[in-house]
mmCIF file of all heavy atoms in Angstrom:
data_model
loop_
_atom_site.group_PDB
_atom_site.id
_atom_site.type_symbol
_atom_site.label_atom_id
_atom_site.label_comp_id
_atom_site.label_asym_id
_atom_site.label_seq_id
_atom_site.Cartn_x
_atom_site.Cartn_y
_atom_site.Cartn_z
ATOM 1 N N PRO A 175 113.116 61.589 87.363
ATOM 2 C CA PRO A 175 114.128 62.389 86.657
ATOM 3 C C PRO A 175 113.580 63.095 85.418
ATOM 4 O O PRO A 175 113.946 64.242 85.143
ATOM 5 C CB PRO A 175 115.201 61.364 86.287
ATOM 6 C CG PRO A 175 115.070 60.301 87.329
ATOM 7 C CD PRO A 175 113.604 60.218 87.628
ATOM 8 N N GLU A 176 112.694 62.449 84.678
ATOM 9 C CA GLU A 176 112.143 63.062 83.474
ATOM 10 C C GLU A 176 111.253 64.254 83.831
ATOM 11 O O GLU A 176 111.236 65.270 83.113
ATOM 12 C CB GLU A 176 111.344 62.035 82.669
ATOM 13 C CG GLU A 176 110.639 62.593 81.434
ATOM 14 C CD GLU A 176 111.575 63.236 80.432
ATOM 15 O OE1 GLU A 176 112.794 62.990 80.480
ATOM 16 O OE2 GLU A 176 111.074 64.001 79.573
ATOM 17 N N THR A 177 110.510 64.160 84.934
ATOM 18 C CA THR A 177 109.688 65.285 85.379
ATOM 19 C C THR A 177 110.573 66.460 85.787
ATOM 20 O O THR A 177 110.280 67.621 85.457
ATOM 21 C CB THR A 177 108.808 64.881 86.574
ATOM 22 O OG1 THR A 177 108.049 63.718 86.222
ATOM 23 C CG2 THR A 177 107.862 66.001 86.958
ATOM 24 N N TYR A 178 111.648 66.165 86.474
ATOM 25 C CA TYR A 178 112.610 67.207 86.874
ATOM 26 C C TYR A 178 113.172 67.903 85.636
ATOM 27 O O TYR A 178 113.260 69.137 85.585
ATOM 28 C CB TYR A 178 113.720 66.552 87.688
ATOM 29 C CG TYR A 178 114.764 67.500 88.246
ATOM 30 C CD1 TYR A 178 114.564 68.133 89.463
ATOM 31 C CD2 TYR A 178 115.961 67.718 87.563
ATOM 32 C CE1 TYR A 178 115.528 68.984 89.991
ATOM 33 C CE2 TYR A 178 116.926 68.570 88.075
ATOM 34 C CZ TYR A 178 116.707 69.200 89.290
ATOM 35 O OH TYR A 178 117.664 70.044 89.796
ATOM 36 N N ARG A 179 113.534 67.111 84.611
ATOM 37 C CA ARG A 179 114.087 67.685 83.382
ATOM 38 C C ARG A 179 113.050 68.552 82.684
ATOM 39 O O ARG A 179 113.359 69.651 82.214
ATOM 40 C CB ARG A 179 114.542 66.559 82.438
ATOM 41 C CG ARG A 179 115.258 67.069 81.198
ATOM 42 C CD ARG A 179 115.235 66.062 80.080
ATOM 43 N NE ARG A 179 113.874 65.824 79.587
ATOM 44 C CZ ARG A 179 113.229 66.677 78.786
ATOM 45 N NH1 ARG A 179 113.786 67.812 78.391
ATOM 46 N NH2 ARG A 179 112.001 66.401 78.390
ATOM 47 N N ARG A 180 111.802 68.076 82.610
ATOM 48 C CA ARG A 180 110.751 68.838 81.931
ATOM 49 C C ARG A 180 110.427 70.124 82.686
ATOM 50 O O ARG A 180 110.200 71.172 82.072
ATOM 51 C CB ARG A 180 109.486 67.990 81.786
ATOM 52 C CG ARG A 180 109.574 66.913 80.709
ATOM 53 C CD ARG A 180 108.314 66.071 80.694
ATOM 54 N NE ARG A 180 107.108 66.885 80.618
ATOM 55 C CZ ARG A 180 105.980 66.630 81.270
ATOM 56 N NH1 ARG A 180 105.903 65.580 82.080
ATOM 57 N NH2 ARG A 180 104.938 67.424 81.139
ATOM 58 N N LEU A 181 110.407 70.068 84.016
ATOM 59 C CA LEU A 181 110.150 71.267 84.805
ATOM 60 C C LEU A 181 111.233 72.313 84.532
ATOM 61 O O LEU A 181 110.931 73.490 84.313
ATOM 62 C CB LEU A 181 110.120 70.920 86.293
ATOM 63 C CG LEU A 181 109.922 72.091 87.265
ATOM 64 C CD1 LEU A 181 108.573 72.771 87.032
ATOM 65 C CD2 LEU A 181 110.040 71.611 88.710
ATOM 66 N N ASP A 182 112.473 71.872 84.524
ATOM 67 C CA ASP A 182 113.585 72.766 84.235
ATOM 68 C C ASP A 182 113.428 73.400 82.849
ATOM 69 O O ASP A 182 113.622 74.609 82.671
ATOM 70 C CB ASP A 182 114.885 71.964 84.316
ATOM 71 C CG ASP A 182 116.124 72.812 84.112
ATOM 72 O OD1 ASP A 182 116.202 73.891 84.714
ATOM 73 O OD2 ASP A 182 117.014 72.396 83.353
ATOM 74 N N ALA A 183 113.047 72.596 81.865
ATOM 75 C CA ALA A 183 112.934 73.077 80.491
ATOM 76 C C ALA A 183 111.715 73.973 80.276
ATOM 77 O O ALA A 183 111.727 74.849 79.395
ATOM 78 C CB ALA A 183 112.871 71.888 79.531
ATOM 79 N N ASN A 184 110.659 73.768 81.058
ATOM 80 C CA ASN A 184 109.402 74.503 80.842
ATOM 81 C C ASN A 184 109.323 75.821 81.603
ATOM 82 O O ASN A 184 108.324 76.537 81.494
ATOM 83 C CB ASN A 184 108.201 73.631 81.239
ATOM 84 C CG ASN A 184 107.980 72.485 80.273
ATOM 85 O OD1 ASN A 184 108.547 72.457 79.186
ATOM 86 N ND2 ASN A 184 107.168 71.526 80.678
ATOM 87 N N LEU A 185 110.342 76.146 82.347
ATOM 88 C CA LEU A 185 110.368 77.426 83.062
ATOM 89 C C LEU A 185 111.191 78.436 82.276
ATOM 90 O O LEU A 185 112.256 78.111 81.745
ATOM 91 C CB LEU A 185 110.968 77.247 84.456
ATOM 92 C CG LEU A 185 110.116 76.434 85.434
ATOM 93 C CD1 LEU A 185 110.919 76.079 86.681
ATOM 94 C CD2 LEU A 185 108.851 77.195 85.828
ATOM 95 N N ILE A 186 110.692 79.645 82.195
ATOM 96 C CA ILE A 186 111.385 80.683 81.438
ATOM 97 C C ILE A 186 111.322 81.999 82.209
ATOM 98 O O ILE A 186 110.288 82.337 82.795
ATOM 99 C CB ILE A 186 110.773 80.807 80.019
ATOM 100 C CG1 ILE A 186 111.557 81.817 79.177
ATOM 101 C CG2 ILE A 186 109.293 81.130 80.065
ATOM 102 C CD1 ILE A 186 111.192 81.749 77.693
ATOM 103 N N LEU A 187 112.436 82.701 82.242
ATOM 104 C CA LEU A 187 112.548 83.967 82.946
ATOM 105 C C LEU A 187 112.635 85.126 81.955
ATOM 106 O O LEU A 187 113.321 85.020 80.935
ATOM 107 C CB LEU A 187 113.816 84.004 83.808
ATOM 108 C CG LEU A 187 113.800 83.412 85.212
ATOM 109 C CD1 LEU A 187 115.189 83.539 85.825
ATOM 110 C CD2 LEU A 187 112.774 84.093 86.090
ATOM 111 N N PHE A 188 111.939 86.226 82.266
ATOM 112 C CA PHE A 188 112.040 87.446 81.480
ATOM 113 C C PHE A 188 112.397 88.596 82.405
ATOM 114 O O PHE A 188 111.832 88.715 83.498
ATOM 115 C CB PHE A 188 110.718 87.761 80.783
ATOM 116 C CG PHE A 188 110.356 86.794 79.694
ATOM 117 C CD1 PHE A 188 109.479 85.750 79.947
ATOM 118 C CD2 PHE A 188 110.883 86.933 78.417
ATOM 119 C CE1 PHE A 188 109.137 84.853 78.951
ATOM 120 C CE2 PHE A 188 110.552 86.039 77.409
ATOM 121 C CZ PHE A 188 109.678 85.000 77.675
ATOM 122 N N TYR A 189 113.314 89.449 81.958
ATOM 123 C CA TYR A 189 113.685 90.613 82.748
ATOM 124 C C TYR A 189 112.780 91.773 82.374
ATOM 125 O O TYR A 189 112.716 92.178 81.214
ATOM 126 C CB TYR A 189 115.149 90.981 82.503
ATOM 127 C CG TYR A 189 115.632 92.108 83.376
ATOM 128 C CD1 TYR A 189 115.486 92.041 84.761
ATOM 129 C CD2 TYR A 189 116.224 93.235 82.827
ATOM 130 C CE1 TYR A 189 115.922 93.064 85.586
ATOM 131 C CE2 TYR A 189 116.669 94.272 83.646
ATOM 132 C CZ TYR A 189 116.513 94.180 85.018
ATOM 133 O OH TYR A 189 116.934 95.200 85.831
ATOM 134 N N THR A 190 112.067 92.320 83.364
ATOM 135 C CA THR A 190 111.106 93.389 83.095
ATOM 136 C C THR A 190 111.783 94.740 82.884
ATOM 137 O O THR A 190 111.199 95.638 82.277
ATOM 138 C CB THR A 190 110.114 93.542 84.266
ATOM 139 O OG1 THR A 190 110.827 93.974 85.439
ATOM 140 C CG2 THR A 190 109.398 92.231 84.554
ATOM 141 N N GLY A 191 113.005 94.886 83.413
ATOM 142 C CA GLY A 191 113.667 96.182 83.355
ATOM 143 C C GLY A 191 113.180 97.143 84.419
ATOM 144 O O GLY A 191 113.661 98.272 84.513
ATOM 145 N N LEU A 192 112.224 96.708 85.244
ATOM 146 C CA LEU A 192 111.662 97.548 86.302
ATOM 147 C C LEU A 192 112.393 97.266 87.614
ATOM 148 O O LEU A 192 112.580 96.108 87.993
ATOM 149 C CB LEU A 192 110.165 97.269 86.475
ATOM 150 C CG LEU A 192 109.295 97.480 85.229
ATOM 151 C CD1 LEU A 192 107.880 96.973 85.487
ATOM 152 C CD2 LEU A 192 109.264 98.954 84.847
ATOM 153 N N LYS A 193 112.819 98.302 88.297
ATOM 154 C CA LYS A 193 113.501 98.156 89.575
ATOM 155 C C LYS A 193 112.485 98.123 90.711
ATOM 156 O O LYS A 193 111.375 98.649 90.585
ATOM 157 C CB LYS A 193 114.476 99.315 89.800
ATOM 158 C CG LYS A 193 115.636 99.353 88.805
ATOM 159 C CD LYS A 193 116.560 98.174 89.011
ATOM 160 C CE LYS A 193 117.784 98.280 88.104
ATOM 161 N NZ LYS A 193 118.717 97.141 88.310
ATOM 162 N N HIS A 194 112.863 97.514 91.821
ATOM 163 C CA HIS A 194 111.964 97.485 92.976
ATOM 164 C C HIS A 194 112.756 97.627 94.260
ATOM 165 O O HIS A 194 113.954 97.370 94.296
ATOM 166 C CB HIS A 194 111.155 96.189 92.990
ATOM 167 C CG HIS A 194 111.950 94.979 93.400
ATOM 168 N ND1 HIS A 194 112.944 94.437 92.619
ATOM 169 C CD2 HIS A 194 111.897 94.213 94.510
ATOM 170 C CE1 HIS A 194 113.459 93.382 93.234
ATOM 171 N NE2 HIS A 194 112.852 93.231 94.382
ATOM 172 N N ASP A 195 112.072 98.061 95.310
ATOM 173 C CA ASP A 195 112.662 98.177 96.641
ATOM 174 C C ASP A 195 112.065 97.072 97.500
ATOM 175 O O ASP A 195 110.974 97.209 98.056
ATOM 176 C CB ASP A 195 112.357 99.556 97.237
ATOM 177 C CG ASP A 195 113.047 99.779 98.591
ATOM 178 O OD1 ASP A 195 113.465 98.783 99.216
ATOM 179 O OD2 ASP A 195 113.152 100.942 99.006
ATOM 180 N N ALA A 196 112.791 95.951 97.588
ATOM 181 C CA ALA A 196 112.268 94.782 98.301
ATOM 182 C C ALA A 196 111.989 95.088 99.764
ATOM 183 O O ALA A 196 110.968 94.667 100.320
ATOM 184 C CB ALA A 196 113.251 93.618 98.183
ATOM 185 N N ASN A 197 112.893 95.831 100.414
ATOM 186 C CA ASN A 197 112.706 96.118 101.835
ATOM 187 C C ASN A 197 111.434 96.910 102.085
ATOM 188 O O ASN A 197 110.705 96.664 103.057
ATOM 189 C CB ASN A 197 113.910 96.888 102.376
ATOM 190 C CG ASN A 197 115.114 95.990 102.604
ATOM 191 O OD1 ASN A 197 115.019 94.773 102.471
ATOM 192 N ND2 ASN A 197 116.241 96.578 102.939
ATOM 193 N N ALA A 198 111.139 97.882 101.213
ATOM 194 C CA ALA A 198 109.929 98.693 101.395
ATOM 195 C C ALA A 198 108.680 97.844 101.241
ATOM 196 O O ALA A 198 107.726 97.950 102.025
ATOM 197 C CB ALA A 198 109.919 99.842 100.396
ATOM 198 N N ILE A 199 108.685 96.974 100.223
ATOM 199 C CA ILE A 199 107.515 96.120 99.990
ATOM 200 C C ILE A 199 107.330 95.133 101.139
ATOM 201 O O ILE A 199 106.215 94.926 101.640
ATOM 202 C CB ILE A 199 107.656 95.374 98.650
ATOM 203 C CG1 ILE A 199 107.630 96.372 97.484
ATOM 204 C CG2 ILE A 199 106.540 94.337 98.484
ATOM 205 C CD1 ILE A 199 107.970 95.753 96.136
ATOM 206 N N LEU A 200 108.432 94.521 101.587
ATOM 207 C CA LEU A 200 108.337 93.537 102.667
ATOM 208 C C LEU A 200 107.944 94.187 103.990
ATOM 209 O O LEU A 200 107.263 93.564 104.807
ATOM 210 C CB LEU A 200 109.664 92.791 102.807
ATOM 211 C CG LEU A 200 109.984 91.825 101.655
ATOM 212 C CD1 LEU A 200 111.406 91.305 101.775
ATOM 213 C CD2 LEU A 200 108.990 90.669 101.607
ATOM 214 N N SER A 201 108.359 95.417 104.205
ATOM 215 C CA SER A 201 107.940 96.129 105.421
ATOM 216 C C SER A 201 106.433 96.322 105.436
ATOM 217 O O SER A 201 105.769 96.109 106.456
ATOM 218 C CB SER A 201 108.644 97.491 105.496
ATOM 219 O OG SER A 201 110.027 97.332 105.726
ATOM 220 N N LYS A 202 105.868 96.701 104.277
ATOM 221 C CA LYS A 202 104.416 96.859 104.169
ATOM 222 C C LYS A 202 103.711 95.522 104.377
ATOM 223 O O LYS A 202 102.693 95.436 105.069
ATOM 224 C CB LYS A 202 104.046 97.422 102.794
ATOM 225 C CG LYS A 202 104.519 98.831 102.532
ATOM 226 C CD LYS A 202 104.181 99.241 101.103
ATOM 227 C CE LYS A 202 104.755 100.597 100.750
ATOM 228 N NZ LYS A 202 104.507 100.937 99.317
ATOM 229 N N GLN A 203 104.276 94.485 103.765
ATOM 230 C CA GLN A 203 103.646 93.170 103.867
ATOM 231 C C GLN A 203 103.651 92.677 105.307
ATOM 232 O O GLN A 203 102.659 92.110 105.789
ATOM 233 C CB GLN A 203 104.378 92.173 102.961
ATOM 234 C CG GLN A 203 103.693 90.822 102.865
ATOM 235 C CD GLN A 203 104.347 89.936 101.818
ATOM 236 O OE1 GLN A 203 104.785 90.406 100.775
ATOM 237 N NE2 GLN A 203 104.406 88.642 102.109
ATOM 238 N N SER A 204 104.775 92.880 106.009
ATOM 239 C CA SER A 204 104.857 92.457 107.405
ATOM 240 C C SER A 204 103.859 93.225 108.261
ATOM 241 O O SER A 204 103.180 92.650 109.123
ATOM 242 C CB SER A 204 106.280 92.667 107.923
ATOM 243 O OG SER A 204 106.409 92.182 109.232
ATOM 244 N N ALA A 205 103.744 94.535 108.014
ATOM 245 C CA ALA A 205 102.795 95.359 108.771
ATOM 246 C C ALA A 205 101.358 94.920 108.531
ATOM 247 O O ALA A 205 100.505 95.005 109.422
ATOM 248 C CB ALA A 205 102.964 96.832 108.389
ATOM 249 N N ASN A 206 101.085 94.407 107.324
ATOM 250 C CA ASN A 206 99.729 93.981 106.972
ATOM 251 C C ASN A 206 99.303 92.682 107.649
ATOM 252 O O ASN A 206 98.139 92.267 107.536
ATOM 253 C CB ASN A 206 99.603 93.819 105.455
ATOM 254 C CG ASN A 206 99.567 95.147 104.729
ATOM 255 O OD1 ASN A 206 99.367 96.190 105.342
ATOM 256 N ND2 ASN A 206 99.763 95.111 103.415
ATOM 257 N N MET A 207 100.243 92.040 108.372
ATOM 258 C CA MET A 207 99.894 90.791 109.040
ATOM 259 C C MET A 207 98.946 91.002 110.211
ATOM 260 O O MET A 207 98.482 90.044 110.831
ATOM 261 C CB MET A 207 101.160 90.065 109.504
ATOM 262 C CG MET A 207 101.967 89.426 108.373
ATOM 263 S SD MET A 207 101.022 88.256 107.348
ATOM 264 C CE MET A 207 100.623 89.248 105.902
ATOM 265 N N SER A 208 98.640 92.261 110.508
ATOM 266 C CA SER A 208 97.621 92.539 111.521
ATOM 267 C C SER A 208 96.223 92.547 110.911
ATOM 268 O O SER A 208 95.228 92.620 111.636
ATOM 269 C CB SER A 208 97.893 93.894 112.185
ATOM 270 O OG SER A 208 97.843 94.940 111.226
ATOM 271 N N GLN A 209 96.154 92.452 109.586
ATOM 272 C CA GLN A 209 94.869 92.455 108.890
ATOM 273 C C GLN A 209 94.424 91.012 108.623
ATOM 274 O O GLN A 209 95.154 90.226 108.008
ATOM 275 C CB GLN A 209 94.970 93.225 107.568
ATOM 276 C CG GLN A 209 95.383 94.681 107.740
ATOM 277 C CD GLN A 209 95.547 95.394 106.411
ATOM 278 O OE1 GLN A 209 94.925 95.018 105.418
ATOM 279 N NE2 GLN A 209 96.375 96.432 106.390
ATOM 280 N N THR A 210 93.243 90.680 109.067
ATOM 281 C CA THR A 210 92.746 89.299 108.987
ATOM 282 C C THR A 210 92.742 88.772 107.565
ATOM 283 O O THR A 210 93.127 87.618 107.313
ATOM 284 C CB THR A 210 91.325 89.215 109.564
ATOM 285 O OG1 THR A 210 91.342 89.690 110.913
ATOM 286 C CG2 THR A 210 90.831 87.776 109.543
ATOM 287 N N ASP A 211 92.320 89.596 106.586
ATOM 288 C CA ASP A 211 92.238 89.110 105.217
ATOM 289 C C ASP A 211 93.616 88.829 104.626
ATOM 290 O O ASP A 211 93.782 87.876 103.851
ATOM 291 C CB ASP A 211 91.472 90.103 104.333
ATOM 292 C CG ASP A 211 92.144 91.466 104.270
ATOM 293 O OD1 ASP A 211 92.764 91.877 105.271
ATOM 294 O OD2 ASP A 211 92.057 92.131 103.211
#
Side-chain angles (χ1 to χ4, degrees):
E176 176 59 18
T177 306
Y178 183 86
R179 186 201 66 77
R180 285 177 52 219
L181 177 62
D182 183 46
N184 290 347
L185 292 169
I186 184 167
L187 275 178
F188 291 98
Y189 185 54
T190 65
L192 302 172
K193 295 292 185 179
H194 74 291
D195 185 342
N197 283 354
I199 294 171
L200 290 171
S201 291
K202 294 176 186 176
Q203 187 172 323
S204 184
N206 287 345
M207 287 304 100
S208 61
Q209 300 177 26
T210 303
D211 61 327

